[in-house]
Amino acid sequence: MEDFSLPVLLNYLPLLLSGLPGTVGIAFFAILCGVFIGFFAGLARVSLNPVIKHLATIYVEVIRGVPLLVIIYLIYFGLGSFVDIPRYAAAVISLGVFSGAYVAEIFRAAVESVPSGQMEAALSVGLTRGQALRKIILPQALKRMVPPLAGQFISLTKDSSLASVIAIPELTLTTYQAITMTFRSFQFWMTTAFMYFVLGWVLQRVARYLERRFAVID
Amino acid sequence: MIRLIGLNKWFGKHHVLVDINEHVKPGEVVVIIGPSGSGKTTLIRCINVLEKADKGEIFVNGVPVHNPKTNLCELRQQVGFVFQHINLFPHMTALENVTFAPAEVKLMSKKEATDVGMDLLNKVGLAEKAHSFPGQLSGGQKQRVAIARALGMRPKVVLFDEPTSALDPEMIKEVLEVMKQLAYDGMTMVVVTHEMGFAREVANRVVFIDQGRVVEVGTPEHFFTNPQTDRAKLFLSRIL
Ligand SMILES: Nc1ncnc2c1ncn2[C@@H]1O[C@H](COP(=O)(O)OP(=O)(O)OP(=O)(O)O)[C@@H](O)[C@H]1O
Ligand SMILES: [Mg+2]
């Protein structure tokens, strides 16, 4: 194994860290995008309209059957051949479309985990299904969505490393660059692994906090 | 108030309700009794269309419930329902459970709903628990809040599905007291229950159902002391 050199590491740390905003930024916007898509796809999944429901099911199943790397290539090169799409946007859209399918499933599972008696009670006092969903089912479902959503966000942060294939200056790409210049693979990959770990850990803490905040007595 | 004409319901091939004919007049209290699986729950769920009847006619306060054009939300606002498993909204206080629907459907202003809600909680003896969440209440208290919730929309009739059968024995009485009071106040009620004391005290009629059919109808006095059919006799001998 190569010998570990602290001076080299410190020397190239700024380069490595320059990828961090890219990773955080892509993950952040992709999460927003994924939650937005996933929320509506999830609503469609619990819709009574069979057409809407089927379209959402197709979206979820197709996306879950295709590797993220392929989705990134498809959107960057496929979409890119019709419209001029910045790499950054391509990365965010790819990750957003990808995670949207998983968020939709989290959403559906959370809605279905609310006991059916809640919907019945809401209907029995004369609310419409829409009112019941919005005011009775969703508040209870959202609380249940926090832990799996946090897991999804952490996955997405890690998956954003794949954006390096379309030359987005994020953590994985800057790691490649540092290694190209120093030929010290191991110590840089270790450092990068540690940084991903810290990001995930911070998200985990935030999720715990939110979970406690959202916990109502039931 | 409620008129059932030739009501039939199937779950798949299972004929759960067979040609039910009943008429509940305003202010009447009708108790439905029968073995497990006889169709009691399904029957009252058909009245507020939590379950859809397959054949026959249902009128509530003159509204043809079976007509697909009938607005179910408006119908259900007139028909309170109290569940065996209570089903309070866990993310709302007792008061909010009562006031939420009337305010949401704009039956009342928020202020008015709060006044009505406090009034109702007072009536079920839980004014001091108005700001507690369901998780902080006992089973009996929860069911009393659920009764207040059902009354919040000022319904013309209230349906009860075994409101005390999921409760510990010492809590049954407080719930039955509230229901008796409601009956004395003149509310039209259809109550699925095996509480004979309640039936004897307030019911105008007992309807005995077995295997989806009305087998016997009578005054509580008559039904409990002198049942006419063998099936009713057998059933009573089991629950007594
Ligand atoms: N959603 C459903 N799908 C299929 N079968 C059902 C459904 N709901 C009820 N049943 C069946 O219909 C029959 C009547 O059920 P119902 O719940 O009305 O009986 P019940 O008289 O209320 O019984 P219990 O005293 O146990 O509450 C039962 O055989 C039950 O298994
Ligand atoms: Mg039942």
Side-chain angles (χ1 to χ4, degrees), chain A:
Chain A
M1 210 208 309
E2 69 200 36
D3 39 323
F4 181 87
S5 161
L6 191 60
V8 172
L9 182 66
L10 288 178
N11 212 6
Y12 283 88
L13 201 56
L15 171 62
L16 227 56
L17 287 175
S18 75
L20 210 52
T23 291
V24 172
I26 288 180
F28 178 76
F29 288 109
I31 283 164
L32 286 187
C33 184
V35 166
F36 184 80
I37 296 174
F39 185 82
F40 286 102
L43 262 186
R45 288 275 272 165
V46 296
S47 163
L48 290 183
N49 181 325
V51 177
I52 292 177
K53 191 173 171 153
H54 270 97
L55 285 176
T57 307
I58 291 171
Y59 160 67
V60 167
E61 285 182 0
V62 166
I63 294 297
R64 295 210 302 182
V66 177
L68 175 55
L69 190 56
V70 176
I71 295 176
I72 293 175
Y73 282 135
L74 273 177
I75 289 193
Y76 183 59
F77 294 112
L79 216 60
S81 61
F82 297 106
V83 285
D84 192 20
I85 180 169
R87 328 170 164 271
Y88 202 87
V92 168
I93 293 172
S94 307
L95 285 162
V97 167
F98 175 74
S99 70
Y102 292 86
V103 173
E105 279 306 274
I106 290 170
F107 184 93
R108 182 186 60 80
V111 166
E112 287 176 356
S113 76
V114 177
S116 60
Q118 291 292 310
M119 175 57 89
E120 294 186 350
L123 292 179
S124 80
V125 283
L127 300 177
T128 64
R129 210 181 111 90
Q131 287 169 327
L133 261 180
R134 276 199 310 281
K135 300 294 181 58
I136 305 296
I137 309 297
L138 280 188
Q140 298 181 58
L142 287 180
K143 189 186 79 187
R144 291 162 208 238
M145 285 173 68
V146 172
L149 267 187
Q152 182 58 35
F153 291 176
I154 292 168
S155 300
L156 196 58
T157 306
K158 294 183 292 182
D159 290 343
S160 70
S161 68
L162 287 174
S164 61
V165 300
I166 54 171
I168 302 282
E170 48 67 69
L171 194 50
T172 301
L173 191 79
T174 55
T175 310
Y176 276 127
Q177 291 167 343
I179 293 168
T180 318
M181 289 185 256
T182 61
F183 302 104
R184 288 172 189 275
S185 304
F186 183 71
Q187 68 183 62
F188 282 111
W189 283 127
M190 271 309 281
T191 311
T192 297
F194 179 71
M195 288 198 244
Y196 276 115
F197 167 77
V198 170
L199 279 180
W201 184 82
V202 169
L203 281 176
Q204 196 80 254
R205 305 310 302 175
V206 173
R208 291 265 164 74
Y209 169 77
L210 287 178
E211 233 174 289
R212 258 180 278 125
R213 273 290 308 271
F214 275 82
V216 300
I217 323 113
D218 57 357

Side-chain angles (χ1 to χ4, degrees), chain B residues 11 14 16 34-43 51 84 161-162:
Chain B
F11 281 122
H14 186 180
V16 185
S36 181
S38 56
K40 308 178 295 292
T41 298
T42 309
L43 175 61
E51 216 69 76
Q84 181 174 8
D161 186 15
E162 302 200 42

